[in-house]
Amino acid sequence: MDTITASFTYEPGEFARGLRRVLARRHRARFDSLIAALFVVFGGYLSATHGFSLLAALLCGVGAAFGGLLAYGVLIVPVLVERSHSKLREPYTLTFSRDDIHFQTPTIDSRLEWSLYHSWAEDDEFLYLFHGKREVSIVPWRGFAIDADRTALRELVAARVDAGNAD
């Protein structure tokens, strides 16, 4: 297969959902949430068993602040990103080839070399192509016409990204 094409328009909340999954993995959200909860619980335990103390208040405060920052980063930021980028409301056509990825929307016409991407991942709903420290291209699997395109794309991405973008 010479090229693989995906055509889609992000549904409301779809990009944010994909970005939330990326951020949750990156920030180890479950583990970090557990740590924040343990700080609050231990601070509450100290307060209940030994009376109010600066240490108990500090533990509760640190746990609550850490949990709040984590919730903001994983739950709120993806929504803000989706709302702030009008390009995410445009129809996309992505054409994947051995040489590059051609991104087309009404306002974008760009070819990106595979060397831009350093890693990739997938789940049941999205393909994630990572580039830079904080950048990711999120491609919904529903944008592909047939399942064979998904399989072919996985093979292409594995060959181009996992192999260090070798020719």
Side-chain angles (χ1 to χ4, degrees):
M1 185 174 280
D2 291 333
T3 62
I4 305 160
T5 301
S7 297
F8 59 91
T9 302
Y10 289 110
E11 296 172 352
E14 187 175 37
F15 185 86
R17 188 169 56 252
L19 185 56
R20 188 173 294 121
R21 291 175 186 175
V22 168
L23 294 173
R25 267 189 240 143
R26 181 180 293 158
H27 295 299
R28 305 170 319 200
R30 288 188 177 136
F31 178 76
D32 290 350
S33 296
L34 177 63
I35 296 300
L38 287 173
F39 268 69
V40 171
V41 168
F42 189 62
Y45 170 77
L46 284 178
S47 184
T49 58
H50 295 82
F52 178 79
S53 70
L54 183 58
L55 177 61
L58 185 63
L59 288 171
C60 287
V62 167
F66 187 57
L69 287 172
L70 182 63
Y72 175 77
V74 173
L75 301 176
I76 307 297
V77 167
V79 173
L80 296 175
V81 168
E82 183 179 71
R83 288 182 184 171
S84 68
H85 292 287
S86 61
K87 69 180 181 181
L88 296 174
R89 293 183 281 282
E90 297 178 344
Y92 277 72
T93 300
L94 277 61
T95 306
F96 299 87
S97 71
R98 177 164 166 64
D99 297 326
D100 58 24
I101 304 171
H102 187 191
F103 279 80
Q104 289 181 288
T105 74
T107 59
I108 300 169
D109 189 356
S110 180
R111 291 188 180 276
L112 301 177
E113 299 292 325
W114 284 107
S115 60
L116 175 70
Y117 298 100
H118 59 78
S119 61
W120 68 286
E122 67 174 302
D123 60 25
D124 60 331
E125 196 173 4
F126 302 107
L127 169 69
Y128 306 95
L129 296 167
F130 298 96
H131 52 99
K133 251 186 154 176
R134 297 183 184 127
E135 298 296 322
V136 61
S137 297
I138 300 173
V139 182
W141 285 122
R142 66 177 176 75
F144 296 88
I146 56 175
D147 285 340
D149 286 345
R150 291 181 186 187
T151 303
L153 182 59
R154 283 183 188 103
E155 292 170 4
L156 177 62
V157 171
R160 300 306 292 170
V161 176
D162 287 347
N165 307 304
D167 288 339

